[in-house]
Amino acid sequence: MNECIFCKIINGEISSKTVYEDEFVIGFEDINPMAPVHILVIPKYHLSSTESVDSQNSFYISKVFEAIPKISKIKNLDRGYRVVTNTGEDSGQTVKHIHFHILGGKTLDLKMC
Ligand code: 5GP
Ligand code: ZN
């Protein structure tokens, strides 16, 4: 996926502030944070959204969710946080590489939509 900006972050063509990385997953600071802590967690495998997840690739999603509690500890989110993923036009998804927002560092707005 040559034109995907998150694939470019994975291969180092675009720099990012990495907070966590392993063989399957990278977590980095969102460039336009919407909360005091705003991390994006992505698989190192191009999937465009939750609509592309299936039994052949869900391993990568499980690795994302294994990384999330590690990132919450790195970022001291002991009071809690929200994990959000946008899919498609109605959600406002702008980057077509599946990603999970970790939002925290304050009491979050209870209005979710
Ligand atoms: P979406 O709206 O697709 O759910 O979220 C995409 C997120 O990616 C946005 O919060 C946006 O700020 C972030 N983003 C877009 N381009 C870049 C980039 O080049 N670097 C980083 N760190 N974040 C980006
Ligand atoms: Zn990609």
Side-chain angles (χ1 to χ4, degrees):
M1 272 286 169
N2 291 341
E3 296 313 311
C4 173
I5 57 171
F6 285 178
C7 283
K8 288 181 176 175
I9 284 175
I10 292 165
N11 68 28
E13 278 181 72
I14 295 177
S15 63
S16 67
K17 290 186 185 166
T18 304
V19 298
Y20 175 84
E21 185 165 13
D22 64 30
E23 189 180 352
F24 306 107
V25 169
I26 183 167
F28 52 95
E29 307 273 357
D30 195 293
I31 205 167
N32 183 25
M34 294 196 159
V37 176
H38 188 170
I39 306 298
L40 299 172
V41 194
I42 65 174
K44 291 181 173 178
Y45 178 79
H46 185 88
L47 294 170
S48 53
S49 77
T50 53
E51 286 291 287
S52 302
V53 178
D54 62 25
S55 60
Q56 301 298 305
N57 57 43
S58 60
F59 168 80
Y60 285 92
I61 306 306
S62 70
K63 289 296 173 187
V64 166
F65 276 83
E66 287 174 29
I68 286 171
K70 297 176 186 173
I71 294 168
S72 80
K73 285 168 187 65
I74 290 166
K75 299 303 289 184
N76 300 311
L77 293 173
D78 46 296
R79 284 175 49 85
Y81 55 92
R82 183 171 292 153
V83 178
V84 174
T85 187
N86 291 318
T87 298
E89 197 179 341
D90 271 0
S91 74
Q93 181 184 7
T94 55
V95 179
K96 304 295 190 293
H97 182 127
I98 194 168
H99 52 281
F100 297 83
H101 301 255
I102 301 176
L103 297 155
K106 68 167 188 174
T107 301
L108 298 168
D109 191 339
L110 294 179
K111 191 170 182 294
M112 286 208 281
C113 58

